[in-house]
Amino acid sequence: MKIKLTEVPEEGRSYHWTTQSGEANAVLADIVGKNAYDTEFFIKPLNSKDFELTGRIKTKSPEVCSRCGNDINFPVNERFHEILIPKQSQPRASKYSKVNHVSDLPEGGPEVSEYENMAFDMGEFLHEVVALAAPFNPACPEIGEDGKPSDCRIPESGQGLIYDEEMPVEKPQNPFAALKNLKRLN
């Protein structure tokens, strides 16, 4: 859903979108599945072209546990703070092309998003926020919804994580030592 930035008053405007109100249902359907979402955000003009966007989104994203393979609903509770600027062309030699890595960017300040034709696609922005919140290797929570420890984190023995492996105590034998005992067949 696109928001017309020309309709945002000088004092700013608050928005509250939910699954029931349905503004972003179609856009978020592939990333939240049947889970509900709740988002609140505020847009305020800084000048005639730039806007400040602050808010949060709370939902769950269907994922597959990287440890046990079970389907889980990963909780997403993200806050965002953006400065909306008009879309600009970025030539290869622009000042933004000189940033080599994300770690080179300043930390703690607002991020920057671009809009076109005085309209900001808030639905796509929320989709990106939820997508970036999912970890690379999602895992079952340590404590399940029933208040008990998760099955994938505690093996049947009840000790440690599922991936605890005992390290060999003694030094393994040289693999070439076995060749000494072989007889040549001629």
Side-chain angles (χ1 to χ4, degrees), residues 104-178:
D104 292 342
L105 296 173
E107 226 179 283
E111 303 290 327
V112 176
S113 292
E114 296 180 329
Y115 66 86
E116 287 185 273
N117 302 325
M118 292 305 289
F120 181 66
D121 196 341
M122 191 64 191
E124 286 299 323
F125 175 78
L126 292 173
H127 187 277
E128 185 175 319
V129 169
V130 173
L132 291 172
F136 184 71
N137 292 322
C140 293
E142 290 184 26
I143 304 295
E145 293 176 6
D146 57 358
K148 296 180 181 177
S150 171
D151 290 338
C152 99
R153 292 193 182 243
I154 297 182
E156 293 174 21
S157 68
Q159 297 176 353
L161 295 176
I162 231 172
Y163 295 110
D164 278 350
E165 294 181 16
E166 291 185 25
M167 298 302 289
V169 177
E170 54 186 73
K171 187 176 176 183
Q173 185 179 1
N174 183 346
F176 296 104

Side-chain angles (χ1 to χ4, degrees), residues 21-133:
S21 60
E23 291 89 345
N25 286 0
V27 169
L28 294 177
D30 68 321
I31 200 154
V32 300
K34 295 180 181 179
N35 295 311
Y37 68 88
D38 184 17
T39 183
E40 295 176 355
F41 55 95
F42 183 76
I43 299 177
K44 181 181 179 183
L46 297 174
N47 55 43
S48 62
K49 292 184 180 182
D50 302 325
F51 297 81
E52 181 179 33
L53 168 67
T54 56
R56 63 147 187 91
I57 183 166
K58 187 173 184 177
T59 186
K60 292 183 178 179
S61 176
E63 302 289 338
V64 176
C65 177
S66 62
R67 292 188 175 115
C68 65
N70 289 336
D71 292 333
I72 58 172
N73 283 317
F74 187 80
V76 175
N77 191 4
E78 292 292 313
R79 295 195 170 278
F80 46 87
H81 184 189
E82 300 279 324
I83 301 296
L84 308 178
I85 62 172
K87 187 167 179 114
Q88 301 171 4
S89 64
Q90 294 181 357
R92 275 183 93 103
S94 72
K95 68 178 181 176
Y96 299 112
S97 67
K98 301 197 177 14
V99 175
N100 290 334
H101 192 268
V102 175
S103 63
D104 292 342
L105 296 173
E107 226 179 283
E111 303 290 327
V112 176
S113 292
E114 296 180 329
Y115 66 86
E116 287 185 273
N117 302 325
M118 292 305 289
F120 181 66
D121 196 341
M122 191 64 191
E124 286 299 323
F125 175 78
L126 292 173
H127 187 277
E128 185 175 319
V129 169
V130 173
L132 291 172

